[in-house]
């Protein structure tokens, strides 16, 4: 049996949308599960929509997510070139074959003629305003005009296209792994343009020819391509490739968070979440759209989140490492119905993955960030302790960095509500007594906390009564990570300095 080969075939028309990234991921996972190859083919035959930089962006985004292709414009394989604009001659050959077999034809209609055709069909009450087996006989093409006439028009520079000759009455059937059998009547399929006057093929022709030549076994793509599939199936038949036709799997749509319609950049902007995996700069407006990466999402968390958009493993768990996804993925478990894009769930995944990271790894990251972004020098051991204390409390790494600053700089802001509620003469004496009793040789958090408790017990004060006040005096906030950890990281001298610094401020608030 030939080995599984799948492809992700983006058009470089802009930044890769998150839905496209999901399509790429499903292709990658299917390839890995089947021990096959994952190919990226750049479909750049539409010169009008070409955006420079998009190709690199797409490949960078896949690398970042951890789903680098086995063959692409960057990693050459046996089936290159992997950029369609470099395969022009190949398509010409197949168009010739279709013309010779009378399965395609030249059309020289002007834009006005095409518009008049649509108007006529509309007047006649037709729903499909298609160039098809019926309407083509009233148009200017090689089926209605003589060979000489067509040649004359083309040589005089008139624009022409080559169209697929779709049969009038035929059932087109194909199997879709997600949807089961799909049957479409050819009367609803239009005579798609295969080659344009610029000599470049359209998506339909290039896509089918390349899937065949690149030995693609499964076409996994978004549901928006389902209506094109019948034309593709016909092309396979016309080119004599029906027996080797790839299997199709059209993935369910990603819907807006409210479930109303397809997820779009506009919807994402409105709801305040990224649509692109990495920062994307619009070449016309210069506007930068923040990516998932820059927003602080971890690639493994995003991959896990995306994998579950449409795929239901039917297992009693949600956290899957990329390796587990690769081992468990199956197209049979991909559902048909559209799936809502819930950014809260993406945040939850990020939190889970952040939580799982080991403290030393996070500590290393923190040491670097503190130094480069805040000019703060921190020992790895301390940074690891801080990471341990903070990682369960934040969703993103940059929040951890932000929250760690308080361990190095005295708070600039104090929670006045807590001060008003908890601060008193007794509280002040309690804090002062605590720092008086605190020996600078005590370094363990629990031991410092014990000193606090013993001091207050000796004063006949319940230690719990001023615990929150102690916290506010040290960090400014009424809540936060474990107090023992805070005490340990700050150490006795800094605790004393901060309490001495806070008390006069507390007095002011209380006045
Ligand atoms: N170039 C098409 C796109 O931009 C590819 C669709 C397909 O996978 O066949 O999505």
């Amino acid at each position: 049996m030939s080995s599984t080969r799948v492809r992700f075939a983006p058009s470089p028309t802009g930044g890769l949308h998150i839905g496209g990234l999901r399509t790429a991921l499903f292709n990658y996972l299917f390839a890995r599960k089947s021990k096959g190859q994952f190919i990226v083919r750049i479909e750049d035959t539409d010169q009008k929509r070409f955006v420079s930089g998009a190709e690199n962006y797409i490949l960078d985004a896949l690398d970042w997510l951890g789903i680098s292709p086995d063959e692409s414009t960057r990693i050459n394989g046996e089936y290159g070139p992997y950029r369609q604009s470099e395969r022009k001659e190949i398509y010409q050959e197949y168009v010739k074959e279709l013309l010779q077999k009378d399965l395609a034809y030249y059309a020289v209609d002007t834009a006005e003629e095409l518009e008049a055709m649509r108007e006529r069909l509309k007047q006649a009450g037709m729903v499909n305003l298609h160039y098809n087996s019926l309407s083509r006989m009233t148009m200017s093409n090689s089926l209605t005009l003589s060979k000489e006439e067509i040649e004359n028009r083309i040589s005089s520079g008139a624009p022409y296209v080559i169209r697929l000759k779709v049969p009038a009455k035929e059932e087109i059937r194909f199997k879709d792994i997600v949807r089961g059998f799909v049957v479409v009547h050819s009367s609803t399929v239009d005579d798609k343009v295969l080659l344009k006057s610029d000599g470049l093929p359209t998506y339909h022709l290039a896509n089918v020819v390349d899937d065949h030549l690149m030995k693609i076994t499964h076409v996994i793509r978004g549901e928006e391509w389902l209506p094109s599939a019948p034309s593709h199936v016909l092309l396979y038949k016309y080119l004599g490739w029906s027996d080797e036709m790839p299997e199709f799997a059209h993935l369910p749509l990603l819907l807006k968070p409210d479930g109303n319609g397809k997820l779009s950049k506009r919807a994402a902007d409105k709801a305040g979440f990224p649509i692109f995996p990495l920062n994307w700069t619009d070449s016309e407006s210069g506007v930068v759209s923040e990516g998932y990466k820059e927003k602080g999402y971890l690639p493994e968390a995003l991959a896990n989140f995306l994998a579950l958009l449409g795929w239901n493993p039917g297992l009693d768990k949600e956290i899957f490492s990329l390796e587990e996804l690769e081992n468990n993925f199956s197209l049979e478990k991909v559902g048909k119905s559209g799936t809502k894009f819930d950014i809260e769930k993406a945040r939850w995944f990020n939190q889970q993955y952040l939580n799982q990271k080991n403290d030393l790894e996070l500590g290393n990251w923190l040491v670097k960030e503190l130094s480069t972004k805040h000019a703060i020098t921190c020992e790895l051991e301390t940074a690891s302790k801080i990471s341990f204390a903070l990682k369960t409390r934040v969703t993103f790494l940059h929040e951890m960095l932000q929250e760690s600053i308080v361990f190095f700089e005295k708070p600039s802001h104090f929670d006045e509500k807590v001060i008003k509620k908890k601060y008193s003469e007794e509280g002040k004496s309690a804090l002062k007594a605590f720092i008086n009793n605190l020996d600078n040789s005590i370094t363990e958090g629990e031991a410092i906390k014990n000193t606090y408790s013993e001091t207050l017990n000796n004063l006949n004060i319940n230690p719990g009564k001023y615990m929150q006040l102690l916290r506010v005096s040290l960090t400014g906030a009424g809540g936060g990570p474990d107090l023992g950890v805070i005490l340990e990281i700050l150490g006795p001298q800094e605790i004393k300095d901060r309490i001495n610094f806070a008390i006069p401020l507390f007095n002011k608030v209380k006045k």
Side-chain angles (χ1 to χ4, degrees):
M1 218 184 82
S2 64
S3 84
T4 299
R5 289 175 57 81
V6 294
R7 87 302 191 270
F8 175 53
S11 300
T13 54
L16 175 65
H17 275 215
I18 196 74
L21 192 63
R22 184 202 52 167
T23 301
L25 174 67
F26 279 31
N27 272 283
Y28 169 88
L29 294 177
F30 185 72
R32 287 292 161 271
K33 169 76 197 208
S34 334
K35 311 254 174 296
Q37 269 89 45
F38 169 50
I39 292 120
V40 170
R41 181 175 70 229
I42 301 296
E43 302 209 322
D44 60 345
T45 56
D46 190 348
Q47 296 292 302
K48 284 197 277 313
R49 298 183 61 215
F50 179 84
V51 172
S52 92
E55 177 183 323
N56 267 331
Y57 176 90
I58 293 166
L59 292 167
D60 288 348
L62 302 186
D63 288 348
W64 174 68
L65 200 69
I67 58 168
S68 304
D70 304 303
E71 296 166 32
S72 74
T73 48
R74 285 184 185 168
I75 307 146
N76 215 358
E78 278 176 58
Y79 301 89
Y82 293 90
R83 198 178 285 117
Q84 289 185 327
S85 56
E86 292 167 22
R87 300 170 64 83
K88 270 193 231 168
E89 293 72 31
I90 300 177
Y91 311 118
Q92 296 279 355
E93 204 184 299
Y94 292 100
V95 170
K96 242 190 247 156
E97 181 184 330
L98 292 171
L99 285 168
Q100 269 160 13
K101 290 188 188 163
D102 194 25
L103 296 170
Y105 60 92
Y106 283 96
V108 289
D109 312 274
T110 60
E112 293 75 36
E113 282 176 309
L114 289 170
E115 188 44 45
M117 175 197 89
R118 280 191 281 270
E119 200 44 49
R120 246 186 352 260
L121 294 175
K122 219 196 261 168
Q123 296 297 330
M126 307 290 272
V127 194
N128 282 338
L129 310 180
H130 283 163
Y131 202 113
N132 61 15
S133 58
L134 284 177
S135 59
R136 69 188 173 215
M137 298 320 285
T138 65
M139 303 299 288
S140 306
N141 53 50
S142 54
L143 304 172
T144 58
L145 302 173
S146 69
K147 202 167 171 236
E148 293 70 45
E149 174 76 30
I150 295 285
E151 276 168 8
N152 283 343
R153 290 223 200 169
I154 293 177
S155 55
S156 71
Y160 73 94
V161 295
I162 293 169
R163 287 182 180 270
L164 179 67
K165 195 171 164 193
V166 178
K169 289 183 193 151
E170 198 174 290
E171 266 189 356
I172 304 170
R173 300 166 166 269
F174 60 95
K175 198 186 144 220
D176 184 283
I177 300 172
V178 175
R179 280 143 226 281
F181 270 101
V182 180
V183 183
V184 177
H185 199 271
S186 65
S187 60
T188 63
V189 178
D190 62 333
D191 288 359
K192 293 241 149 51
V193 172
L194 300 178
L195 200 87
K196 300 166 284 174
S197 348
D198 60 6
L200 282 169
T202 56
Y203 152 72
H204 304 288
L205 178 71
N207 187 269
V208 166
V209 166
D210 286 346
D211 280 348
H212 178 74
L213 297 180
M214 294 183 178
K215 294 213 166 47
I216 298 302
T217 56
H218 298 77
V219 166
I220 305 167
R221 61 186 172 195
E223 186 181 314
E224 60 274 30
W225 300 102
L226 189 59
S228 300
S231 309
H232 300 175
V233 173
L234 261 186
L235 271 170
Y236 280 105
K237 186 174 152 195
Y238 283 2
L239 291 164
W241 299 334
S242 289
D243 290 347
E244 302 140 77
M245 191 167 81
E247 288 189 56
F248 291 100
H250 288 93
L251 306 177
L253 286 180
L254 292 189
L255 304 175
K256 289 180 195 163
D258 62 7
N260 272 328
K262 205 176 141 184
L263 177 68
S264 59
K265 174 161 188 316
R266 241 178 101 200
D269 284 349
K270 203 171 141 214
F273 60 81
I275 194 78
F276 298 119
L278 317 173
N279 273 2
W280 171 255
T281 311
D282 184 275
S283 52
E284 267 170 33
S285 62
V287 172
V288 180
S289 304
E290 192 178 37
Y292 279 85
K293 178 184 174 200
E294 291 78 6
K295 190 105 193 160
Y297 284 88
L298 299 165
E300 55 273 35
L302 189 64
N304 194 158
F305 165 69
L306 290 177
L308 296 175
L309 293 181
W311 172 63
N312 181 353
L315 298 171
D316 201 15
K317 67 173 205 155
E318 291 187 287
I319 300 291
F320 293 90
S321 67
L322 195 55
E323 200 187 334
E324 286 174 304
L325 291 172
E326 292 171 15
N327 293 332
N328 284 291
F329 188 75
S330 85
L331 286 172
E332 280 70 27
K333 295 214 166 111
V334 172
K336 276 201 280 278
S337 41
T339 157
K340 271 192 229 169
F341 195 89
D342 177 6
I343 196 67
E344 284 312 315
K345 194 77 203 201
R347 290 169 57 88
W348 180 82
F349 274 110
N350 211 60
Q351 226 266 304
Q352 298 299 310
Y353 276 85
L354 195 58
N355 226 322
Q356 280 178 12
K357 286 213 179 276
N358 92 36
D359 302 330
L360 207 61
E361 184 188 341
L362 290 172
N364 263 313
W365 177 85
L366 197 56
V367 167
K368 265 191 234 127
E369 293 290 304
L370 283 168
S371 150
T372 53
K373 301 217 170 98
H374 298 275
I376 291 173
T377 314
C378 172
E379 298 281 322
L380 179 58
E381 199 192 329
T382 308
S384 304
K385 279 184 196 164
I386 295 176
S387 302
F388 168 75
L390 293 180
K391 71 177 179 185
T392 53
R393 305 184 32 82
V394 297
T395 303
F396 298 113
L397 272 174
H398 58 79
E399 292 171 348
M400 195 166 97
L401 175 65
Q402 214 45 50
E403 290 205 15
S404 71
I405 304 297
V406 76
F407 292 104
F408 306 95
E409 289 166 5
K410 287 192 178 48
S412 53
H413 175 83
F414 291 87
D415 187 334
E416 297 199 355
K417 250 204 214 138
V418 178
I419 301 168
K420 282 192 180 129
K421 209 162 131 207
K422 301 277 159 106
Y423 189 61
S424 61
E425 277 306 313
E426 183 190 63
K428 179 160 112 183
S429 329
L431 290 181
K432 283 199 159 165
F434 161 52
I435 52 178
N436 272 337
N437 286 346
L438 184 59
D439 195 296
N440 274 4
S441 64
I442 309 182
T443 52
E444 278 202 3
E446 280 314 303
I448 300 176
K449 211 166 159 189
N450 283 342
T451 307
Y452 165 81
S453 299
E454 277 162 23
T455 307
L456 270 69
N457 281 331
N458 286 341
L459 293 170
N460 270 332
I461 305 171
N462 178 357
K465 196 171 170 189
Y466 294 110
M467 203 81 100
Q468 204 186 13
L469 191 68
L470 170 63
R471 183 185 276 286
V472 173
S473 69
L474 300 174
T475 68
D482 181 71
L483 187 59
V485 179
I486 298 176
L487 294 169
E488 178 158 325
I489 294 168
L490 293 179
Q493 192 52 52
E494 182 66 16
I495 293 171
K496 291 174 190 172
D497 289 351
R498 289 201 184 188
I499 290 177
N500 284 328
F501 174 75
I503 285 175
L505 294 168
F506 287 3
N507 286 335
K508 257 197 226 151
V509 172
K510 200 67 192 195
K511 246 197 263 161

